[in-house]
Amino acid sequence: MATRAPAFVRRPGSRLRIGYLSSDLHDHATAHLAAGLFERHDRSTTEICAYSYGIADASAMRARLVRGFDRWVDLADMSDDAAANRIRNDGIDVLVELKGHTVGNRLGIVCRRPAPIQIHYLGFPGTLGLDAISQPCRRRGGHSCRRRGRLQETLLRMPHCYQVNDDRRALPAVPARSALGLPDEAIVLACFNQTTKLSRAFFRLWVQAMREVPRSVLWLYVPHEITQRNLRREAEREGLDPARIVFAPNAPNEAHIARLRTADLSLDLLPYGSHTTGSDGAVGRGAAALVPRRHVREAGSARASLAAVGLPELVTETKEDYGAELLRLLRDPERLRGYKHYLDIERGRLPLFDTEGFTRAWERMLIRLADGS
């Protein structure tokens, strides 16, 4: 295994060298969130380098990312030892690992400790169980580092929301509901979390509320036919017409954001809720989200996103509260329209969409870490 990085690299007063390590620096959800962060870095105080080991697609996003970094290094054909040595030799002060425990990660690189400060961020919203890593998340007011029970990492707190969003993200036109297989006059409840996140307890809460409001439909992203059949069968068992469940196909990012704008309310759930999906609806000026309070992941994206857009009332304390609030919302379509209008007109001033402010806070946090303060 390669030797560790020196305990200190940066000269006082020099630009902070930040490396971003990922296989998702192309047309990927992580890139759509973070492109604005890379571009907004203050080059008078920071120098940023991409360490990419993913595909080199020909997308507009890939070209934008390449332009957004000071240096771009392709590690795809390097071993973990060689990649770590390259990062070490580049004199990186802070290495930001963007994959975590997701498909295609190369955590072996960070385990070789090529940088004196190593942070896991964005791609996997949970503990990695590695002593080599710290993890940013949200706190009320200011920043701090402290140990938190059940997490291996030191938590680094951001002021509003741990998840960055790109305020330069294009907002596509809203498609007709009929083109998406949705009834024009229905109240559309959307949950586009991965199938593995769906739970029987919350599906039952959704169905129970929908039984009381016949105009409502449930819109899910479930690509597997056998799971679609199981969900329809479960709905019928609970007394709901299975035709009131609509399944959305996979779609490119722009089309996905466009279709989310047709929903009336996004639904989150436990024990493992949304991440990028949780803020996509708000990013597209789509639906507000109803979210159960996190018992497992304080950094839950949807919950933090709601706080950062001024809608904390949509975070419920218990499953019973969640079911009752869902029914109240279904019975009050004017309130749902009000949320959509609020997100539309207030978007420019809400912390969730303040990429510039997020970047400045992020840089201050990293510089303090590097300076040992």
Side-chain angles (χ1 to χ4, degrees):
M1 186 161 296
T3 58
R4 292 189 179 186
F8 184 80
V9 175
R10 181 171 178 251
R11 297 186 308 277
S14 64
R15 291 197 299 168
L16 185 72
R17 291 180 176 175
I18 305 170
Y20 289 93
L21 174 67
S22 181
S23 68
D24 297 332
L25 299 176
H26 54 91
D27 189 8
H28 185 276
T30 296
H32 285 283
L33 290 173
L37 168 64
F38 306 144
E39 294 168 340
R40 291 314 220 299
H41 270 295
D42 181 356
R43 296 317 205 269
S44 70
T45 58
T46 65
E47 177 185 353
I48 64 168
C49 182
Y51 292 100
S52 172
Y53 54 88
I55 62 172
D57 64 5
S59 65
M61 176 55 71
R62 174 77 170 198
R64 178 184 172 188
L65 293 172
V66 171
R67 291 193 302 269
F69 282 89
D70 297 310
R71 286 184 289 159
W72 187 282
V73 180
D74 192 341
L75 305 178
D77 295 328
M78 295 186 190
S79 67
D80 286 354
D81 276 335
N85 281 329
R86 173 59 193 264
I87 295 168
R88 184 178 297 107
N89 291 337
D90 285 345
I92 294 299
D93 300 303
V94 180
L95 182 63
V96 184
E97 195 281 324
L98 293 171
K99 284 291 290 180
H101 293 303
T102 59
V103 175
N105 77 74
R106 291 182 61 181
L107 293 175
I109 296 174
V110 293
C111 287
R112 286 157 171 79
R113 297 180 185 257
I117 297 172
Q118 301 188 149
I119 291 174
H120 160 61
Y121 178 56
L122 197 59
F124 179 80
T127 181
L128 299 188
L130 298 176
D131 286 329
I133 293 291
S134 296
Q135 180 182 4
C137 65
R138 176 177 176 266
R139 72 163 296 184
R140 291 183 183 274
H143 313 277
S144 71
C145 305
R146 65 188 178 92
R147 289 285 178 184
R148 187 167 177 86
R150 299 196 189 128
L151 293 181
Q152 185 72 24
E153 297 90 346
T154 299
L155 298 186
L156 311 174
R157 303 282 190 159
M158 293 292 289
H160 298 292
C161 179
Y162 92 103
Q163 186 190 84
V164 66
N165 280 284
D166 179 15
D167 61 4
R168 295 172 178 167
R169 200 171 183 179
L171 292 177
V174 181
R177 280 186 169 181
S178 57
L180 301 170
L182 297 169
D184 287 331
E185 302 302 320
I187 299 174
V188 177
L189 306 176
C191 181
F192 277 37
N193 286 333
Q194 296 181 30
T195 305
T196 52
K197 295 183 180 182
L198 297 180
S199 74
R200 184 183 298 271
F202 279 86
F203 183 77
R204 185 168 291 160
L205 286 174
W206 300 342
V207 168
Q208 288 171 352
M210 290 172 64
R211 284 202 312 253
E212 302 297 319
V213 182
R215 289 178 54 209
S216 58
V217 298
L218 179 61
W219 197 20
L220 303 175
Y221 172 64
V222 178
H224 310 293
E225 289 187 9
I226 187 169
T227 310
Q228 293 178 9
R229 290 196 299 270
N230 289 341
L231 287 167
R232 286 192 174 108
R233 183 170 58 247
E234 187 69 18
E236 192 168 27
R237 188 177 294 145
E238 293 289 329
L240 185 76
D241 181 357
R244 291 172 62 189
I245 301 179
V246 181
F247 296 105
N250 192 28
N253 186 266
E254 184 175 348
H256 171 64
I257 294 296
R259 68 185 179 183
L260 284 177
R261 301 180 70 191
T262 67
D264 293 296
L265 181 68
S266 295
L267 301 173
D268 207 7
L269 70 167
L270 291 175
Y272 187 42
S274 65
H275 186 220
T276 307
T277 304
S279 60
D280 273 349
V283 167
R285 301 181 189 176
L290 183 63
V291 183
R293 185 170 292 279
R294 296 288 192 267
H295 298 290
V296 180
R297 291 190 300 115
E298 183 180 338
S301 163
R303 176 185 167 196
S305 296
L306 286 170
V309 295
L311 297 176
E313 70 271 19
L314 293 179
V315 181
T316 60
E317 294 294 332
T318 67
K319 286 195 298 184
E320 291 74 23
D321 292 339
Y322 179 100
E325 183 65 16
L326 175 56
L327 185 55
R328 282 193 291 270
L329 288 165
L330 284 174
R331 287 173 169 167
D332 192 353
E334 189 61 32
R335 182 181 167 197
L336 291 175
R337 284 191 290 271
Y339 283 137
K340 290 172 73 74
H341 181 67
Y342 166 79
L343 289 171
D344 190 32
I345 65 172
E346 298 292 338
R347 186 177 190 269
R349 69 171 188 84
L350 297 171
L352 184 65
F353 308 112
D354 182 10
T355 312
E356 182 75 20
F358 182 97
T359 305
R360 300 287 81 77
W362 175 258
E363 288 175 340
R364 288 193 296 270
M365 180 183 71
L366 298 186
I367 289 171
R368 278 198 298 270
L369 282 175
D371 290 345
S373 58

